[in-house]
Amino acid sequence: MNRTSHPILSMVVSRVGLGLLSLLIVSLVIFFSVSLLPGSYASAILGQNATPEAVAALETKLGLDRPALWRYLSWLGAAATGELGQSFAGRPVMAVLGPRLLNTITLASITAAIAVPLAITLGVICARFRGRFIDRFLSTSTLASISLPEFFVAYLMMMIFAVKLQWFPSMAGIRNSMDLGEQLYRMVLPILTLLLVILAHMIRNTRAAILSVMSSPYVEMARLKGESEGRVVMRQALPNAIGPIASVVALNLAYLISGVVVIEVVFVYPGVGQAMIDAVRNRDVPVIQACALIFATAYIGFNLLADIVSIVSNPRLLHPR
């Protein structure tokens, strides 16, 4: 038992360590990159007629006059405990981002709940009927979807379903006062756009992962034993393609959290992406840093999850000689 679990445990621990190191490096890049943004929050708030003394006094109040390294270490230590500081507007950053983060997670969760099983199912169908009409149709459709940028797909969905057909609202502004049905109704177009964007990647990679396994000796042996093609795909190919499929799914889930900025801006959806754009416009550095750190943590976390799934599902590690 020890010999079986040892290689898996050591690889998982090393991946977790690399993930934490990556997050540390990314936090360093985030902090100092945001610090290089043009303009000054103090100058923007006080206006062009503000005296240098007034600007310096406000920067001192906000802590912007302290050394960059000291500010970074203070910010990192607080972020490690879940405290993201105060926005320049005077509110706690988590009070600003809390409702927005919940909205983004809700949007991403609903999209993922639809996209993951649908993509895996369609990918299996493409692999099962390789070269037939359904495979060619889905392959062509997904290739076309991948070639289109997210904002174009978003505006296309808006033009068709909001302007022409008038089935759904073009703006996805949701509020807590709305009931669940109204909120879901307003979220239809953002969800549909995200589905079209991520389904293509997951379907194509699921198909490729299964087809790469289909040429393995144990698959050929199953065919020689007389098993049907569908049974071979489901019982032999799919379980052994879980690692690559999990990696693709995790990457697309990371995109749902960290790459929805464009979708949220187009549909005016009150999520973290929209909050980050507003913070950049207002030069609210703590909010910008918090948004970027949330996106980076989600992206690295899902990639780490994909690595762990790939390791755990590797038969050579589960059954070492």
Side-chain angles (χ1 to χ4, degrees):
M1 179 67 181
N2 292 334
R3 289 184 300 172
T4 302
S5 60
H6 181 266
I8 294 179
L9 181 61
S10 62
M11 292 188 71
V12 168
V13 170
S14 67
R15 291 297 193 278
V16 172
L18 288 174
L20 293 175
L21 178 60
S22 300
L23 188 58
L24 178 63
I25 295 173
V26 168
S27 71
L28 191 66
V29 173
I30 289 171
F31 184 87
F32 287 101
S33 297
V34 172
S35 299
L36 295 176
L37 286 175
S40 167
Y41 176 81
S43 299
I45 289 297
L46 297 176
Q48 297 179 350
N49 297 325
T51 63
E53 292 77 12
V55 172
L58 183 56
E59 289 181 345
T60 300
K61 180 181 178 181
L62 297 174
L64 298 177
D65 61 330
R66 295 174 180 174
L69 182 59
W70 187 92
R71 287 187 285 117
Y72 168 71
L73 293 176
S74 299
W75 172 72
L76 183 64
T81 63
E83 176 58 50
L84 297 176
Q86 296 277 331
S87 74
F88 286 167
R91 298 177 60 197
V93 171
M94 284 308 301
V96 176
L97 295 182
R100 300 294 189 99
L101 181 59
L102 180 60
N103 290 340
T104 295
I105 292 175
T106 301
L107 178 64
S109 299
I110 295 174
T111 305
I114 300 172
V116 173
L118 182 59
I120 294 176
T121 301
L122 294 177
V124 170
I125 291 174
C126 288
R128 169 64 180 84
F129 299 101
R130 179 184 182 184
R132 300 187 186 179
F133 171 77
I134 184 66
D135 179 35
R136 293 196 298 269
F137 173 76
L138 288 175
S139 297
T140 303
S141 301
T142 53
L143 182 61
S145 179
I146 290 174
S147 65
L148 298 175
E150 292 89 341
F151 71 89
F152 180 82
V153 176
Y155 282 119
L156 185 63
M157 294 297 101
M158 187 183 297
M159 183 185 70
I160 294 174
F161 294 105
V163 178
K164 297 294 184 181
L165 299 177
Q166 298 184 359
W167 288 355
F168 306 105
S170 58
M171 300 292 106
I174 62 174
R175 298 183 300 275
N176 293 331
S177 58
M178 297 178 178
D179 58 41
L180 180 61
E182 178 67 17
Q183 292 183 2
L184 292 175
Y185 174 68
R186 290 177 175 271
M187 292 167 62
V188 168
L189 287 185
I191 291 173
L192 181 59
T193 303
L194 288 171
L195 280 174
L196 291 177
V197 171
I198 68 171
L199 269 179
H201 292 277
M202 288 197 287
I203 291 173
R204 293 179 67 85
N205 284 279
T206 300
R207 175 185 181 275
I210 294 176
L211 290 179
S212 67
V213 175
M214 293 292 285
S215 59
S216 303
Y218 54 85
V219 174
E220 296 296 334
M221 180 61 68
R223 286 171 172 159
L224 291 175
K225 290 181 179 179
E227 292 190 13
S228 64
E229 192 68 14
R231 189 178 179 87
V232 168
V233 170
M234 296 303 297
R235 297 194 60 182
Q236 303 294 333
L238 183 58
N240 289 280
I242 288 297
I245 293 173
S247 298
V248 173
V249 170
L251 287 173
N252 282 276
L253 292 179
Y255 166 79
L256 283 177
I257 297 295
S258 59
V260 296
V261 177
V262 174
I263 305 302
E264 290 184 356
V265 170
V266 170
F267 290 105
V268 198
Y269 183 79
V272 177
Q274 183 68 51
M276 187 175 185
I277 297 299
D278 294 339
V280 170
R281 187 181 300 115
N282 297 325
R283 296 184 180 87
D284 198 338
V285 173
V287 176
I288 300 172
Q289 292 171 338
C291 291
L293 188 62
I294 290 172
F295 292 150
T297 302
Y299 193 83
I300 293 173
F302 278 113
N303 276 276
L304 179 61
L305 178 63
D307 283 344
I308 293 175
V309 171
S310 299
I311 292 170
V312 173
S313 62
N314 191 332
R316 295 180 182 178
L317 295 175
L318 288 173
H319 308 287
R321 294 182 180 180

